[in-house]
């Protein structure tokens, strides 16, 4: 009895649908996720939609394939797109944080925040900041109300979905005891403030001061106090973007290759999105291998035939033997890929799927993206 196939995923129809406003791609590294995001954005733009693709992955492939010399925090128009307009950008974590500070504080307070060494570290390298700033940037793009379609290319790892935790993580951070302690000096003021802080930290105060130094503690307290008035806005906007990701008009697309590790990551993404009640469009399996013909010559049979002919020691059969061995290799890859895809389908029977065949060369221009776009719809 043949297992039922997952229903086909039509990504061209998804991105051309006027009701689709946000598409988020996720998957492990090296599976063609960035290319898939760019191809979907191209499909949307060439159907007449004003489209922007935001990459959080620092890879340069997206810029190269779109004919751009570089990507930064500002949307740059891609030349040569027909129908609508296509723009591309790459998240600049620090610049996005700077923009948030400028927008939600006075110039004097912003200047003090920018000069603080803790802010300089937090805005460029602190764990979790990238995911939170991705939420901020997506929220900004949606709020601008100038895009028909926003395609987000997330980092190539499980942390790609960490931004789903941003509101709760931020809430725990803001409500934590350490934050209340660190903001105490500024609220109390002067030496009294230092006494309040010492009392709050209790028995750890001496160790804390000895390790970090009094000036460092004051810098940290001043930084947290300067940001304190903005915390409520941070949390509110993160929650709004989180709700946007669950709302009609948003879809998640998981991208994988027909390899155990990549499909294991895909399973994680599918299960996590389901647990968060996020709208999953389906799975793209990139770089699938196929053999020609309705009843393909199996790898084992091709290899056996090659061995039989080789035993004849007939030089005139050399080309035939070589062709059989090449076919055996291709057929073996096709059988492996089909087996991997079937295993995922059996574990996730309700997930729509589209398979994209392996191409002879990497995508490096707009025509290549169009070709991928054609393959993102079921035949």
């Amino acid at each position: 009895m043949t297992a039922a196939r997952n229903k086909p995923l039509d990504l061209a129809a998804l991105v051309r649908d006027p009701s689709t406003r946000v598409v988020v791609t996720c998957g492990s590294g090296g599976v063609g996720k960035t290319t898939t995001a760019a191809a979907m954005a191209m499909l949307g733009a060439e159907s007449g939609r004003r489209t922007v693709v935001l990459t959080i992955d620092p890879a340069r492939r997206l810029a190269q394939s779109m004919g751009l010399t570089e990507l930064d925090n500002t949307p740059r128009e891609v030349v040569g797109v027909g129908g609508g307009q296509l723009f591309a950008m790459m998240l600049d974590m620090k610049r996005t944080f700077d923009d948030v500070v400028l927008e939600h504080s006075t110039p004097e307070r912003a200047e003090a925040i920018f000069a603080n060494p803790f802010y300089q570290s937090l805005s460029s390298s602190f764990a979790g900041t990238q995911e939170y700033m991705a939420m901020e940037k997506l929220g900004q793009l949606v709020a601008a109300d100038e895009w028909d379609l926003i395609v987000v290319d997330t980092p190539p790892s499980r942390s790609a979905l960490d931004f789903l935790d941003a509101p709760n993580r931020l809430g725990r951070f803001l409500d934590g005891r350490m934050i209340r302690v660190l903001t105490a000096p500024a609220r109390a003021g002067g030496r009294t403030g230092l006494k309040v802080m010492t009392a709050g930290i209790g028995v750890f105060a001496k160790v804390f001061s000895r390790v970090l130094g009094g000036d460092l503690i004051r810098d940290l307290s001043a930084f947290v106090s300067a940001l304190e008035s903005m915390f409520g806005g941070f949390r509110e906007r993160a929650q709004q973007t989180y709700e946007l990701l669950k709302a009609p008009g948003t879809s998640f697309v998981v991208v994988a290759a027909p390899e155990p590790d990549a499909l294991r990551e895909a399973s994680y993404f599918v299960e996590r999105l389901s647990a968060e009640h996020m709208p999953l469009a389906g799975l793209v399996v990139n770089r699938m291998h196929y053999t020609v013909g309705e009843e393909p010559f199996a790898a084992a049979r091709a290899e056996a035939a090659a061995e039989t002919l080789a035993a004849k020691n007939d030089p005139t059969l050399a080309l035939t033997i070589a062709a059989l061995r090449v076919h055996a290799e291709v057929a073996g890859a096709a059988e492996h890929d089909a087996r991997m895809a079937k295993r995922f389908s059996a574990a996730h029977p309700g997930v729509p799927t589209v398979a994209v065949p392996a191409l002879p060369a990497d995508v490096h221009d707009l025509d290549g993206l169009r070709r991928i776009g054609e393959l993102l719809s079921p035949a």
Side-chain angles (χ1 to χ4, degrees), residues 1-254:
M1 181 176 178
T2 303
R5 294 180 59 190
N6 287 29
K7 65 180 181 179
L9 172 64
D10 190 341
L11 288 177
L14 176 71
V15 297
R16 289 168 179 162
D17 185 344
S19 67
T20 301
R21 288 207 63 198
V22 177
V23 177
V24 181
T25 64
C26 47
S28 59
V31 298
K33 180 174 55 64
T34 298
T35 301
T36 300
M40 286 193 294
M42 174 79 86
L43 281 169
E46 295 202 323
S47 71
R49 310 189 73 191
R50 182 176 169 85
T51 303
V52 61
V53 55
L54 165 66
T55 181
I56 305 171
D57 179 359
R60 300 295 174 182
R61 294 185 301 276
L62 183 61
Q64 294 167 354
S65 65
M66 293 185 166
L68 299 172
T69 56
E70 62 177 347
L71 290 177
D72 56 23
N73 220 40
T74 302
R76 296 177 180 272
E77 186 168 9
V78 178
V79 178
V81 176
Q85 290 179 290
L86 176 59
F87 294 76
M89 61 188 299
M90 183 170 70
L91 178 72
D92 184 325
M93 183 170 67
K94 186 179 187 309
R95 182 174 166 187
T96 300
F97 209 152
D98 289 350
D99 290 344
V100 171
V101 171
L102 287 169
E103 183 178 353
H104 298 282
S105 64
T106 64
E108 295 77 14
R109 186 179 290 268
E111 185 176 348
I113 292 172
F114 293 154
N116 191 288
F118 286 97
Y119 175 79
Q120 293 167 11
S121 176
L122 177 70
S123 61
S124 58
S125 60
F126 195 73
T129 303
Q130 182 185 54
E131 288 76 24
Y132 179 76
M133 286 302 123
M135 292 278 279
E136 280 282 350
K137 179 55 67 177
L138 176 56
Q140 290 172 9
L141 290 171
V142 172
D145 201 27
E146 62 175 297
W147 308 104
D148 299 320
L149 176 65
I150 302 167
V151 180
V152 181
D153 170 37
T154 59
S157 68
R158 288 193 174 193
S159 67
L161 291 182
D162 281 356
F163 65 85
L164 297 179
D165 293 326
N168 289 333
R169 187 187 300 116
L170 186 64
R172 290 193 298 270
F173 173 71
L174 301 182
D175 295 333
R177 182 169 181 253
M178 185 58 72
I179 290 298
R180 295 196 300 272
V181 169
L182 291 173
T183 56
R187 290 197 299 269
R191 294 185 178 181
T192 303
L194 290 176
K195 291 180 181 179
V196 172
M197 182 175 186
T198 302
I201 297 178
V203 297
F204 299 103
K206 291 182 180 179
V207 176
F208 199 56
S209 297
R210 189 181 304 123
V211 173
L212 299 180
D215 290 342
L216 197 58
I217 293 174
R218 280 188 288 273
D219 284 344
L220 179 55
S221 176
F223 163 64
V224 173
S225 298
L227 281 182
E228 188 180 16
S229 63
M230 301 170 56
F231 282 158
F234 282 166
R235 178 157 39 190
E236 182 180 352
R237 289 190 304 278
Q239 188 62 43
Q240 287 173 349
T241 306
Y242 178 80
E243 295 301 327
L244 166 73
L245 293 174
K246 297 172 68 174
T250 297
S251 291
F252 284 81
V253 174
V254 178

